[in-house]
Amino acid sequence: MNRTFRHLSLAIPAAAGLVTGGIFAVPALAQKPALAMLNQLMTGRWELRVRDESGRSEQFCLQDARRFIQLRHPGRACEQLVVADEPNEVTVQYTCKGQGYGRTNIRRESASLIQIDSQGISGGLPFAFSAEARRVGQCPP
């Protein structure tokens, strides 16, 4: 390698402060928490309305918005893979060994209104639903 180019190739990163002992150092980037959008949702009483012909709804007290990820596998310890993690939308794929799996997309419209699309297998049967979840008040004491 030409001596001039060799020195130049080391001089540019060194001038930027990126060479340390011959190893290129990458500045540490600020890491945001995984699924940060869910942390922005308000706790309290939420109503979940499924978009189908039944129009059924249910209300529950929400302390952790990650509950929305596994609505058809509640309380189960499942392995989760974050597919998309954007400021207003997350998609998570999860597997509950021997109990099924799912893929859930949650889109935040505000801190008290979200849209959910989920599909997978639960209890040996397929499921797929779209729903709207809205905060409707405080949880009872």
Side-chain angles (χ1 to χ4, degrees):
M1 178 177 214
N2 184 321
R3 187 178 278 219
T4 305
F5 289 116
R6 182 174 174 271
H7 290 295
L8 184 58
S9 67
L10 291 176
I12 293 171
L18 298 175
V19 175
T20 307
I23 298 174
F24 287 94
V26 178
L29 299 175
Q31 297 273 331
K32 67 175 184 161
L35 305 173
M37 181 273 287
L38 296 176
N39 295 336
Q40 297 172 6
L41 299 179
M42 298 173 69
T43 59
R45 179 158 294 287
W46 282 70
E47 180 177 58
L48 179 75
R49 288 189 179 271
V50 177
R51 286 192 202 99
D52 64 8
E53 56 279 349
S54 74
R56 71 183 185 274
S57 68
E58 63 180 274
Q59 290 192 4
F60 53 88
C61 192
L62 181 74
Q63 298 301 322
D64 182 359
R66 283 161 176 70
R67 176 179 180 179
F68 289 124
I69 295 170
Q70 295 179 202
L71 288 171
R72 294 297 180 255
H73 298 90
R76 296 193 178 129
C78 304
E79 292 182 26
Q80 295 184 349
L81 171 66
V82 177
V83 177
D85 190 358
E86 302 298 325
N88 291 314
E89 188 169 4
V90 298
T91 302
V92 178
Q93 188 166 311
Y94 62 91
T95 303
C96 310
K97 291 190 179 189
Q99 300 173 5
Y101 59 88
R103 181 180 178 109
T104 303
N105 174 268
I106 303 170
R107 184 173 45 88
R108 178 176 65 98
E109 293 188 19
S110 71
S112 60
L113 178 64
I114 60 173
Q115 305 299 322
I116 303 169
D117 288 298
S118 189
Q119 60 185 355
I121 301 288
S122 179
L125 298 172
F127 69 86
F129 68 91
S130 290
E132 178 176 275
R134 175 182 309 270
R135 186 177 184 278
V136 293
Q138 297 291 332
C139 293

